[in-house]
Amino acid sequence: MNLFGNIKSLLKKDELWGEWNSDDGSGFMMIMGSWMKINSDGTGKYESWSEGDDETGGYNYSGEFEWERIGEKNIRIRENETEKTEEIEYKLERKNGRIELTSPQPELEKFGIDAFWNFAQKMFKKE
């Protein structure tokens, strides 16, 4: 048994821990955006918003979720207000001093939109 190896793996920070948002630097996040925090204890929070006019309205969704790692690039998420559990395969890319988080979204990809989970946007975290 490799005690040092076991301790090292317990102390290793998961690549998803921390705050993520859809701010790509364009300023668009003032109109429409998303934010989430993935905690080390298997919990998380999210918010997604869009400003609207009299016709389109707009929205502001927020909630909490539980998550767990089920593979190298796979997680399971369950929103606290629902029984629905989703298994998500994700992809991380390092670009321009930040990390981009996406997951396969075939219905959006056919329109050239990269997204993560329930957000129709890429999520970013500064390195």
Side-chain angles (χ1 to χ4, degrees):
M1 182 163 152
N2 183 349
L3 182 60
F4 180 71
N6 289 342
I7 292 172
K8 186 177 176 182
S9 69
L10 289 173
L11 297 175
K12 183 180 176 186
K13 183 178 177 184
D14 192 288
E15 63 190 358
L16 293 178
W17 293 351
E19 291 192 39
W20 297 85
N21 65 59
S22 60
D23 186 3
D24 63 1
S26 69
F28 187 69
M29 199 159 151
M30 292 174 50
I31 299 168
M32 179 180 174
S34 300
W35 167 90
M36 72 175 174
K37 184 172 184 185
I38 300 176
N39 299 313
S40 62
D41 66 357
T43 64
K45 294 182 180 186
Y46 70 88
E47 186 172 0
S48 191
W49 63 90
S50 173
E51 297 297 320
D53 55 26
D54 290 338
E55 289 182 27
T56 60
Y59 60 84
N60 189 344
Y61 303 119
S62 62
E64 296 181 357
F65 59 90
E66 294 176 0
W67 75 281
E68 68 177 314
R69 178 161 297 287
I70 57 173
E72 185 178 337
K73 296 290 183 191
N74 301 82
I75 59 174
R76 184 176 294 130
I77 293 180
R78 185 185 66 80
E79 288 187 70
N80 287 359
E81 299 300 318
T82 178
E83 294 299 315
K84 181 180 176 187
T85 300
E86 298 176 69
E87 291 188 7
I88 299 168
E89 178 183 346
Y90 68 88
K91 178 176 156 185
L92 293 176
E93 290 187 88
R94 287 175 163 67
K95 294 182 182 177
N96 302 321
R98 63 185 179 194
I99 304 170
E100 296 181 0
L101 174 63
T102 58
S103 60
Q105 305 277 338
E107 64 280 358
L108 296 174
E109 290 169 359
K110 66 183 175 185
F111 298 106
I113 299 173
D114 291 324
F116 176 74
W117 184 34
N118 287 339
F119 311 111
Q121 302 160 309
K122 287 183 190 178
M123 300 299 280
F124 303 97
K125 180 165 65 168
K126 291 182 183 175
E127 287 193 274

PDB file of all heavy atoms in Angstrom, residues 76-95:
ATOM      1  N   ARG A  76     -21.923  13.477 -12.567  1.00  0.00           N
ATOM      2  CA  ARG A  76     -23.369  13.315 -12.434  1.00  0.00           C
ATOM      3  C   ARG A  76     -23.868  14.531 -11.656  1.00  0.00           C
ATOM      4  O   ARG A  76     -23.312  14.883 -10.617  1.00  0.00           O
ATOM      5  CB  ARG A  76     -23.680  12.033 -11.677  1.00  0.00           C
ATOM      6  CG  ARG A  76     -25.168  11.727 -11.569  1.00  0.00           C
ATOM      7  CD  ARG A  76     -25.430  10.389 -10.896  1.00  0.00           C
ATOM      8  NE  ARG A  76     -24.930   9.296 -11.746  1.00  0.00           N
ATOM      9  CZ  ARG A  76     -24.148   8.304 -11.327  1.00  0.00           C
ATOM     10  NH1 ARG A  76     -23.756   8.238 -10.071  1.00  0.00           N
ATOM     11  NH2 ARG A  76     -23.759   7.357 -12.156  1.00  0.00           N
ATOM     12  N   ILE A  77     -24.926  15.173 -12.164  1.00  0.00           N
ATOM     13  CA  ILE A  77     -25.507  16.355 -11.519  1.00  0.00           C
ATOM     14  C   ILE A  77     -26.988  16.111 -11.272  1.00  0.00           C
ATOM     15  O   ILE A  77     -27.687  15.592 -12.128  1.00  0.00           O
ATOM     16  CB  ILE A  77     -25.341  17.614 -12.410  1.00  0.00           C
ATOM     17  CG1 ILE A  77     -23.868  17.999 -12.538  1.00  0.00           C
ATOM     18  CG2 ILE A  77     -26.130  18.788 -11.817  1.00  0.00           C
ATOM     19  CD1 ILE A  77     -23.623  19.224 -13.392  1.00  0.00           C
ATOM     20  N   ARG A  78     -27.433  16.536 -10.086  1.00  0.00           N
ATOM     21  CA  ARG A  78     -28.854  16.517  -9.769  1.00  0.00           C
ATOM     22  C   ARG A  78     -29.226  17.860  -9.154  1.00  0.00           C
ATOM     23  O   ARG A  78     -28.669  18.267  -8.138  1.00  0.00           O
ATOM     24  CB  ARG A  78     -29.196  15.411  -8.774  1.00  0.00           C
ATOM     25  CG  ARG A  78     -30.717  15.302  -8.526  1.00  0.00           C
ATOM     26  CD  ARG A  78     -31.076  14.301  -7.453  1.00  0.00           C
ATOM     27  NE  ARG A  78     -30.611  14.689  -6.127  1.00  0.00           N
ATOM     28  CZ  ARG A  78     -31.216  15.574  -5.336  1.00  0.00           C
ATOM     29  NH1 ARG A  78     -32.289  16.205  -5.735  1.00  0.00           N
ATOM     30  NH2 ARG A  78     -30.725  15.834  -4.144  1.00  0.00           N
ATOM     31  N   GLU A  79     -30.149  18.560  -9.819  1.00  0.00           N
ATOM     32  CA  GLU A  79     -30.637  19.819  -9.258  1.00  0.00           C
ATOM     33  C   GLU A  79     -31.452  19.512  -8.010  1.00  0.00           C
ATOM     34  O   GLU A  79     -32.212  18.541  -7.982  1.00  0.00           O
ATOM     35  CB  GLU A  79     -31.492  20.565 -10.272  1.00  0.00           C
ATOM     36  CG  GLU A  79     -30.671  21.151 -11.397  1.00  0.00           C
ATOM     37  CD  GLU A  79     -31.510  22.020 -12.295  1.00  0.00           C
ATOM     38  OE1 GLU A  79     -31.913  23.117 -11.836  1.00  0.00           O
ATOM     39  OE2 GLU A  79     -31.753  21.599 -13.428  1.00  0.00           O
ATOM     40  N   ASN A  80     -31.318  20.336  -6.986  1.00  0.00           N
ATOM     41  CA  ASN A  80     -31.968  20.062  -5.707  1.00  0.00           C
ATOM     42  C   ASN A  80     -33.486  20.092  -5.773  1.00  0.00           C
ATOM     43  O   ASN A  80     -34.144  19.443  -4.986  1.00  0.00           O
ATOM     44  CB  ASN A  80     -31.470  21.042  -4.635  1.00  0.00           C
ATOM     45  CG  ASN A  80     -30.057  20.727  -4.205  1.00  0.00           C
ATOM     46  OD1 ASN A  80     -29.435  19.783  -4.675  1.00  0.00           O
ATOM     47  ND2 ASN A  80     -29.530  21.536  -3.306  1.00  0.00           N
ATOM     48  N   GLU A  81     -34.064  20.830  -6.677  1.00  0.00           N
ATOM     49  CA  GLU A  81     -35.520  20.950  -6.749  1.00  0.00           C
ATOM     50  C   GLU A  81     -36.165  19.886  -7.637  1.00  0.00           C
ATOM     51  O   GLU A  81     -37.361  19.931  -7.882  1.00  0.00           O
ATOM     52  CB  GLU A  81     -35.900  22.346  -7.264  1.00  0.00           C
ATOM     53  CG  GLU A  81     -35.424  23.465  -6.372  1.00  0.00           C
ATOM     54  CD  GLU A  81     -35.976  23.386  -4.957  1.00  0.00           C
ATOM     55  OE1 GLU A  81     -37.176  23.091  -4.796  1.00  0.00           O
ATOM     56  OE2 GLU A  81     -35.209  23.604  -4.009  1.00  0.00           O
ATOM     57  N   THR A  82     -35.386  18.942  -8.136  1.00  0.00           N
ATOM     58  CA  THR A  82     -35.926  17.939  -9.036  1.00  0.00           C
ATOM     59  C   THR A  82     -35.287  16.586  -8.751  1.00  0.00           C
ATOM     60  O   THR A  82     -34.250  16.500  -8.120  1.00  0.00           O
ATOM     61  CB  THR A  82     -35.682  18.339 -10.511  1.00  0.00           C
ATOM     62  OG1 THR A  82     -36.191  17.316 -11.363  1.00  0.00           O
ATOM     63  CG2 THR A  82     -34.220  18.546 -10.808  1.00  0.00           C
ATOM     64  N   GLU A  83     -35.912  15.556  -9.223  1.00  0.00           N
ATOM     65  CA  GLU A  83     -35.356  14.208  -9.086  1.00  0.00           C
ATOM     66  C   GLU A  83     -34.510  13.836 -10.306  1.00  0.00           C
ATOM     67  O   GLU A  83     -33.897  12.775 -10.338  1.00  0.00           O
ATOM     68  CB  GLU A  83     -36.492  13.189  -8.912  1.00  0.00           C
ATOM     69  CG  GLU A  83     -37.261  13.369  -7.612  1.00  0.00           C
ATOM     70  CD  GLU A  83     -36.362  13.201  -6.387  1.00  0.00           C
ATOM     71  OE1 GLU A  83     -35.553  12.246  -6.339  1.00  0.00           O
ATOM     72  OE2 GLU A  83     -36.469  14.039  -5.478  1.00  0.00           O
ATOM     73  N   LYS A  84     -34.483  14.711 -11.307  1.00  0.00           N
ATOM     74  CA  LYS A  84     -33.769  14.427 -12.544  1.00  0.00           C
ATOM     75  C   LYS A  84     -32.256  14.448 -12.305  1.00  0.00           C
ATOM     76  O   LYS A  84     -31.707  15.416 -11.803  1.00  0.00           O
ATOM     77  CB  LYS A  84     -34.135  15.467 -13.606  1.00  0.00           C
ATOM     78  CG  LYS A  84     -33.462  15.229 -14.924  1.00  0.00           C
ATOM     79  CD  LYS A  84     -33.879  16.301 -15.925  1.00  0.00           C
ATOM     80  CE  LYS A  84     -33.123  16.130 -17.226  1.00  0.00           C
ATOM     81  NZ  LYS A  84     -33.390  17.243 -18.136  1.00  0.00           N
ATOM     82  N   THR A  85     -31.602  13.360 -12.672  1.00  0.00           N
ATOM     83  CA  THR A  85     -30.150  13.255 -12.586  1.00  0.00           C
ATOM     84  C   THR A  85     -29.592  13.172 -13.999  1.00  0.00           C
ATOM     85  O   THR A  85     -30.128  12.457 -14.844  1.00  0.00           O
ATOM     86  CB  THR A  85     -29.744  11.991 -11.799  1.00  0.00           C
ATOM     87  OG1 THR A  85     -30.292  12.089 -10.480  1.00  0.00           O
ATOM     88  CG2 THR A  85     -28.247  11.864 -11.696  1.00  0.00           C
ATOM     89  N   GLU A  86     -28.546  13.936 -14.257  1.00  0.00           N
ATOM     90  CA  GLU A  86     -27.932  13.949 -15.580  1.00  0.00           C
ATOM     91  C   GLU A  86     -26.477  13.523 -15.486  1.00  0.00           C
ATOM     92  O   GLU A  86     -25.761  13.949 -14.594  1.00  0.00           O
ATOM     93  CB  GLU A  86     -27.992  15.357 -16.175  1.00  0.00           C
ATOM     94  CG  GLU A  86     -29.395  15.868 -16.380  1.00  0.00           C
ATOM     95  CD  GLU A  86     -29.384  17.301 -16.869  1.00  0.00           C
ATOM     96  OE1 GLU A  86     -28.969  17.528 -18.015  1.00  0.00           O
ATOM     97  OE2 GLU A  86     -29.782  18.171 -16.076  1.00  0.00           O
ATOM     98  N   GLU A  87     -26.067  12.690 -16.417  1.00  0.00           N
ATOM     99  CA  GLU A  87     -24.655  12.337 -16.535  1.00  0.00           C
ATOM    100  C   GLU A  87     -24.076  13.178 -17.661  1.00  0.00           C
ATOM    101  O   GLU A  87     -24.633  13.225 -18.757  1.00  0.00           O
ATOM    102  CB  GLU A  87     -24.488  10.846 -16.807  1.00  0.00           C
ATOM    103  CG  GLU A  87     -24.869  10.022 -15.599  1.00  0.00           C
ATOM    104  CD  GLU A  87     -24.533   8.549 -15.739  1.00  0.00           C
ATOM    105  OE1 GLU A  87     -23.878   8.149 -16.729  1.00  0.00           O
ATOM    106  OE2 GLU A  87     -24.950   7.790 -14.845  1.00  0.00           O
ATOM    107  N   ILE A  88     -22.982  13.852 -17.355  1.00  0.00           N
ATOM    108  CA  ILE A  88     -22.404  14.807 -18.287  1.00  0.00           C
ATOM    109  C   ILE A  88     -20.954  14.452 -18.571  1.00  0.00           C
ATOM    110  O   ILE A  88     -20.152  14.284 -17.652  1.00  0.00           O
ATOM    111  CB  ILE A  88     -22.479  16.234 -17.710  1.00  0.00           C
ATOM    112  CG1 ILE A  88     -23.937  16.609 -17.488  1.00  0.00           C
ATOM    113  CG2 ILE A  88     -21.788  17.236 -18.621  1.00  0.00           C
ATOM    114  CD1 ILE A  88     -24.137  17.844 -16.676  1.00  0.00           C
ATOM    115  N   GLU A  89     -20.642  14.356 -19.836  1.00  0.00           N
ATOM    116  CA  GLU A  89     -19.255  14.241 -20.281  1.00  0.00           C
ATOM    117  C   GLU A  89     -18.812  15.655 -20.628  1.00  0.00           C
ATOM    118  O   GLU A  89     -19.496  16.357 -21.374  1.00  0.00           O
ATOM    119  CB  GLU A  89     -19.174  13.349 -21.517  1.00  0.00           C
ATOM    120  CG  GLU A  89     -17.777  13.222 -22.071  1.00  0.00           C
ATOM    121  CD  GLU A  89     -17.735  12.398 -23.340  1.00  0.00           C
ATOM    122  OE1 GLU A  89     -18.730  11.710 -23.661  1.00  0.00           O
ATOM    123  OE2 GLU A  89     -16.707  12.470 -24.023  1.00  0.00           O
ATOM    124  N   TYR A  90     -17.698  16.092 -20.072  1.00  0.00           N
ATOM    125  CA  TYR A  90     -17.275  17.464 -20.311  1.00  0.00           C
ATOM    126  C   TYR A  90     -15.890  17.516 -20.941  1.00  0.00           C
ATOM    127  O   TYR A  90     -15.148  16.540 -20.951  1.00  0.00           O
ATOM    128  CB  TYR A  90     -17.309  18.281 -19.016  1.00  0.00           C
ATOM    129  CG  TYR A  90     -16.277  17.860 -17.998  1.00  0.00           C
ATOM    130  CD1 TYR A  90     -15.002  18.405 -18.005  1.00  0.00           C
ATOM    131  CD2 TYR A  90     -16.571  16.919 -17.027  1.00  0.00           C
ATOM    132  CE1 TYR A  90     -14.052  18.025 -17.080  1.00  0.00           C
ATOM    133  CE2 TYR A  90     -15.641  16.531 -16.090  1.00  0.00           C
ATOM    134  CZ  TYR A  90     -14.373  17.087 -16.126  1.00  0.00           C
ATOM    135  OH  TYR A  90     -13.445  16.706 -15.213  1.00  0.00           O
ATOM    136  N   LYS A  91     -15.561  18.712 -21.415  1.00  0.00           N
ATOM    137  CA  LYS A  91     -14.267  18.946 -22.059  1.00  0.00           C
ATOM    138  C   LYS A  91     -13.709  20.267 -21.527  1.00  0.00           C
ATOM    139  O   LYS A  91     -14.442  21.246 -21.401  1.00  0.00           O
ATOM    140  CB  LYS A  91     -14.471  19.036 -23.572  1.00  0.00           C
ATOM    141  CG  LYS A  91     -13.242  19.311 -24.364  1.00  0.00           C
ATOM    142  CD  LYS A  91     -13.605  19.260 -25.854  1.00  0.00           C
ATOM    143  CE  LYS A  91     -12.655  20.060 -26.688  1.00  0.00           C
ATOM    144  NZ  LYS A  91     -13.066  20.113 -28.087  1.00  0.00           N
ATOM    145  N   LEU A  92     -12.424  20.255 -21.196  1.00  0.00           N
ATOM    146  CA  LEU A  92     -11.717  21.460 -20.765  1.00  0.00           C
ATOM    147  C   LEU A  92     -10.661  21.812 -21.797  1.00  0.00           C
ATOM    148  O   LEU A  92      -9.944  20.932 -22.277  1.00  0.00           O
ATOM    149  CB  LEU A  92     -11.027  21.244 -19.419  1.00  0.00           C
ATOM    150  CG  LEU A  92     -11.910  21.050 -18.203  1.00  0.00           C
ATOM    151  CD1 LEU A  92     -11.051  20.763 -16.980  1.00  0.00           C
ATOM    152  CD2 LEU A  92     -12.767  22.264 -17.951  1.00  0.00           C
ATOM    153  N   GLU A  93     -10.567  23.096 -22.137  1.00  0.00           N
ATOM    154  CA  GLU A  93      -9.518  23.575 -23.025  1.00  0.00           C
ATOM    155  C   GLU A  93      -8.913  24.830 -22.418  1.00  0.00           C
ATOM    156  O   GLU A  93      -9.641  25.693 -21.919  1.00  0.00           O
ATOM    157  CB  GLU A  93     -10.072  23.909 -24.411  1.00  0.00           C
ATOM    158  CG  GLU A  93     -10.493  22.703 -25.214  1.00  0.00           C
ATOM    159  CD  GLU A  93     -10.860  23.094 -26.630  1.00  0.00           C
ATOM    160  OE1 GLU A  93      -9.955  23.118 -27.484  1.00  0.00           O
ATOM    161  OE2 GLU A  93     -12.049  23.383 -26.859  1.00  0.00           O
ATOM    162  N   ARG A  94      -7.595  24.928 -22.467  1.00  0.00           N
ATOM    163  CA  ARG A  94      -6.902  26.112 -21.979  1.00  0.00           C
ATOM    164  C   ARG A  94      -6.619  27.034 -23.165  1.00  0.00           C
ATOM    165  O   ARG A  94      -5.946  26.642 -24.108  1.00  0.00           O
ATOM    166  CB  ARG A  94      -5.610  25.720 -21.293  1.00  0.00           C
ATOM    167  CG  ARG A  94      -5.864  25.090 -19.956  1.00  0.00           C
ATOM    168  CD  ARG A  94      -4.607  24.564 -19.291  1.00  0.00           C
ATOM    169  NE  ARG A  94      -4.781  24.327 -17.880  1.00  0.00           N
ATOM    170  CZ  ARG A  94      -5.556  23.393 -17.349  1.00  0.00           C
ATOM    171  NH1 ARG A  94      -6.252  22.605 -18.121  1.00  0.00           N
ATOM    172  NH2 ARG A  94      -5.646  23.239 -16.050  1.00  0.00           N
ATOM    173  N   LYS A  95      -7.174  28.258 -23.087  1.00  0.00           N
ATOM    174  CA  LYS A  95      -7.010  29.240 -24.145  1.00  0.00           C
ATOM    175  C   LYS A  95      -6.941  30.636 -23.541  1.00  0.00           C
ATOM    176  O   LYS A  95      -7.750  30.962 -22.667  1.00  0.00           O
ATOM    177  CB  LYS A  95      -8.190  29.211 -25.132  1.00  0.00           C
ATOM    178  CG  LYS A  95      -8.318  27.956 -25.944  1.00  0.00           C
ATOM    179  CD  LYS A  95      -9.487  28.078 -26.901  1.00  0.00           C
ATOM    180  CE  LYS A  95      -9.673  26.814 -27.703  1.00  0.00           C
ATOM    181  NZ  LYS A  95     -10.851  26.906 -28.583  1.00  0.00           N
TER     182      LYS A  95
END
